[in-house]
């Protein structure tokens, strides 16, 4: 079945880059997403990438997709304390349904 | 726009009681989703509706859970009877599109504690 996996924790120093990784199993995924969840809040869409792309950049965020290895990553440049949150990877098809990963808790320390 | 509205924000109840969670999607959105988030299982899709019709309820854990969407602006998730293992944060999300999943907007969630 469909499965999306992420490491649970990542700790980085303020100003460094963060790289959050995700692997998925469904090769027919059409879209892949990154969501951010701040404490006590719902998920907020950060960015997404179509499966026929291998990179997308949006300000401090860079998404890399290796479709052969079914590997997705999110790089946050110049990480700030406000970036501390849980980051979810998700895959979708041409439907409304998303399959979410377990989430990676990013902690940024001064 | 107020975003997706959920009520209550927090609910504490005793085992065996009925619990009803409420959601008001963003006006004009035609898809609505109910998710459950726990430490053990992460974020799970319970059910989703499109144009008020349930499309996929395969994530609903068991018959104690039921969801309705009587109109485009309101949905409920009911648990009866509730059990301690139902304790979780329940999120509602809505989307303006059908067939693309890039625009799900999440509510703030309802934190449910069943004692």
């Amino acid at each position: 079945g469909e499965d999306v996996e992420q490491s649970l924790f990542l700790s980085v120093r303020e100003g460094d880059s963060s790289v959050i990784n995700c692997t998925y199993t469904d090769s027919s995924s059409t879209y892949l997403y990154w969501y951010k969840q701040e404490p006590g809040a719902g998920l907020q869409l950060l960015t997404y990438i179509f499966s026929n792309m291998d990179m997308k950049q949006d300000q401090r965020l860079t998404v890399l997709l290796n479709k052969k290895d079914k590997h997705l990553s999110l790089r946050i440049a110049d990480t700030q304390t406000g970036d501390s949150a849980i980051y979810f990877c998700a895959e979708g098809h041409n439907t409304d349904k998303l399959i979410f990963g377990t989430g990676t808790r990013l902690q940024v320390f001064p | 726009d107020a975003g997706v509205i959920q009520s209550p924000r927090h609910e504490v109840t005793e085992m065996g009681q009925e619990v009803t969670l409420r959601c008001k999607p963003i006006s004009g959105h035609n898809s609505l989703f109910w998710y459950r988030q726990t430490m053990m299982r992460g974020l799970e899709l319970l059910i989703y509706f499109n144009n008020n019709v349930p499309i996929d309820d395969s994530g609903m854990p068991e018959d104690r859970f039921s969801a309705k969407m009587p109109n485009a602006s309101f949905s409920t998730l009911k648990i009866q009877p509730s059990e301690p293992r139902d304790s979780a944060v329940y999120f509602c999300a809505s989307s303006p599109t059908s067939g693309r999943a890039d625009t799900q907007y999440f509510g703030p969630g309802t934190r449910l504690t069943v004692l």
Side-chain angles (χ1 to χ4, degrees):
Chain A
E2 302 158 325
D3 194 20
V4 179
E5 293 190 356
Q6 302 176 237
S7 54
L8 292 179
F9 299 101
L10 177 65
S11 183
V12 299
R13 188 181 299 276
E14 189 174 19
D16 288 351
S17 293
S18 307
V19 180
I20 303 171
N21 294 302
C22 169
T23 57
Y24 60 97
T25 57
D26 190 346
S27 58
S28 65
S29 297
T30 308
Y31 308 94
L32 293 130
Y33 308 83
W34 286 105
Y35 281 79
K36 177 183 181 183
Q37 183 181 29
E38 296 183 348
L43 279 68
Q44 176 187 7
L45 178 66
L46 278 180
T47 186
Y48 67 93
I49 188 169
F50 295 107
S51 59
N52 61 359
M53 300 168 61
D54 51 22
M55 188 182 87
K56 182 178 180 180
Q57 188 153 0
D58 183 1
Q59 299 181 331
R60 292 191 298 121
L61 305 179
T62 303
V63 178
L64 294 178
L65 174 60
N66 182 327
K67 198 172 179 181
K68 173 176 172 288
D69 294 338
K70 301 189 191 69
H71 182 267
L72 182 74
S73 67
L74 174 69
R75 178 177 182 270
I76 305 173
D78 186 25
T79 312
Q80 303 297 306
T81 54
D83 295 323
S84 295
I86 302 175
Y87 290 81
F88 289 89
C89 167
E91 63 167 349
H93 306 265
N94 285 319
T95 67
D96 297 302
K97 189 173 178 178
L98 295 179
I99 305 297
F100 285 87
T102 52
T104 298
R105 184 179 295 274
L106 173 65
Q107 182 177 6
V108 182
F109 56 93
Chain B
D1 195 324
V4 175
I5 298 173
Q6 291 187 246
S7 65
R9 291 294 310 274
H10 302 272
E11 175 82 25
V12 180
T13 190
E14 292 186 344
M15 183 173 64
Q17 296 298 305
E18 176 182 302
V19 174
T20 300
L21 311 181
R22 297 174 176 79
C23 175
K24 177 177 168 52
I26 294 173
S27 178
H29 285 193
N30 55 17
S31 294
L32 183 139
F33 309 81
W34 281 102
Y35 292 90
R36 176 172 68 176
Q37 185 178 34
T38 61
M39 289 291 291
M40 293 297 293
R41 299 176 67 89
L43 192 68
E44 304 170 276
L45 176 66
L46 300 177
I47 185 171
Y48 79 93
F49 296 83
N50 185 253
N51 292 322
N52 312 337
V53 176
I55 303 300
D56 184 350
D57 65 355
S58 59
M60 295 286 265
E62 49 197 273
D63 292 346
R64 297 184 298 107
F65 286 68
S66 62
K68 294 182 180 179
M69 192 164 186
N71 57 62
S73 59
F74 184 66
S75 176
T76 59
L77 178 68
K78 185 179 290 187
I79 308 172
Q80 179 185 22
S82 58
E83 296 182 2
R85 61 192 168 118
D86 301 331
S87 298
V89 181
Y90 290 81
F91 289 104
C92 176
S94 70
S95 170
T97 59
S98 177
R100 281 186 59 177
D102 57 322
T103 47
Q104 286 191 28
Y105 296 84
F106 281 73
T110 295
R111 182 174 294 276
L112 172 65
T113 302
V114 183
L115 303 174

